[in-house]
Amino acid sequence: LLALPTAAFMIQDQEVLAAEMERTFIAIKPDGVQRGLISEIITRFERKGFKLVGIKIMVPSNGFAQKHYHGLKERPFFNGLCNFLSSGPVVAMVWEGEGVIRYGRKLIGTDPQKSEPGTIRGDLAVVLGRNVIHGSDGPETAKDEISLWFKPEELVSYTNNAEKWIYG
Ligand code: ADP
């Protein structure tokens, strides 16, 4: 091990760090897209210091929406929810950063009526069924949702020069 050049350690360290960096799936729902909130929502994640590693716009089919929301299929609002998600363009994204799954949910808020001002749903939405944004609720969901919406080659790994100022 001691015979390895320092650079190899550095590269290895960076790879370890990159592998451990958390990713979450975030989607701007059809209401957010129609209301012109794409840049507003991206700005909030971007200025926090999270890193965009995947993005596309697509109209999910109803079947695709059902796959995305499969965990909610027993709920009475399931069909309406899937019809809504597939009713127009959705901006699908993967954001990366330390704690991005949990903190992404904080940026998003919960029920628009209960969310604090300062959160996306608190500031930009009024009712539960039109809450402009989706974010993975945990590490397992994040993994599943990222692989449902993105092929591995659609995601990029890169160093952002601001990272040393964000993470120290
Ligand atoms: P979240 O998106 O905050 O993680 P859930 O996973 O509980 O919320 O629900 C998924 C989505 O289903 C919500 O974002 C919302 O659009 C919709 N939804 C949840 N509850 C209701 C409801 N009671 N009536 C209509 N739509 C609902």
Side-chain angles (χ1 to χ4, degrees), residues 29 69 72 77 81 105 121 128-129 131:
K29 296 179 182 180
Y69 278 128
L72 297 173
F77 55 84
L81 179 60
R105 297 276 291 183
R121 288 175 178 169
L128 200 50
N131 59 12

Side-chain angles (χ1 to χ4, degrees), residues 14-58:
Q14 282 188 6
E15 279 171 353
V16 168
L17 283 174
E20 283 172 357
M21 206 42 109
E22 190 174 290
R23 288 179 168 184
T24 194
F25 174 71
I26 299 292
I28 304 172
K29 296 179 182 180
D31 52 339
V33 173
Q34 294 296 335
R35 291 178 53 206
L37 298 174
I38 298 171
S39 59
E40 167 77 39
I41 289 170
I42 289 177
T43 296
R44 290 176 181 225
F45 279 83
E46 197 175 34
R47 73 183 183 195
K48 167 72 176 168
F50 293 138
K51 179 161 69 176
L52 185 61
V53 296
I55 184 167
K56 63 182 165 187
I57 186 161
M58 61 184 268

Side-chain angles (χ1 to χ4, degrees), residues 5 20 26 34 39 68 78 82 88 94 105-106 114 126 141-142 144 153 162 166:
E20 283 172 357
I26 299 292
Q34 294 296 335
S39 59
H68 172 76
F78 179 71
C82 295
V94 178
R105 297 276 291 183
K106 268 180 121 148
K114 294 176 185 151
V126 181
T141 331
D144 291 351
E153 63 269 26
I166 293 166

Side-chain angles (χ1 to χ4, degrees), residues 80-94:
L81 179 60
C82 295
N83 290 340
F84 176 61
L85 193 71
S86 58
S87 68
V90 169
V91 174
M93 298 179 280
V94 178

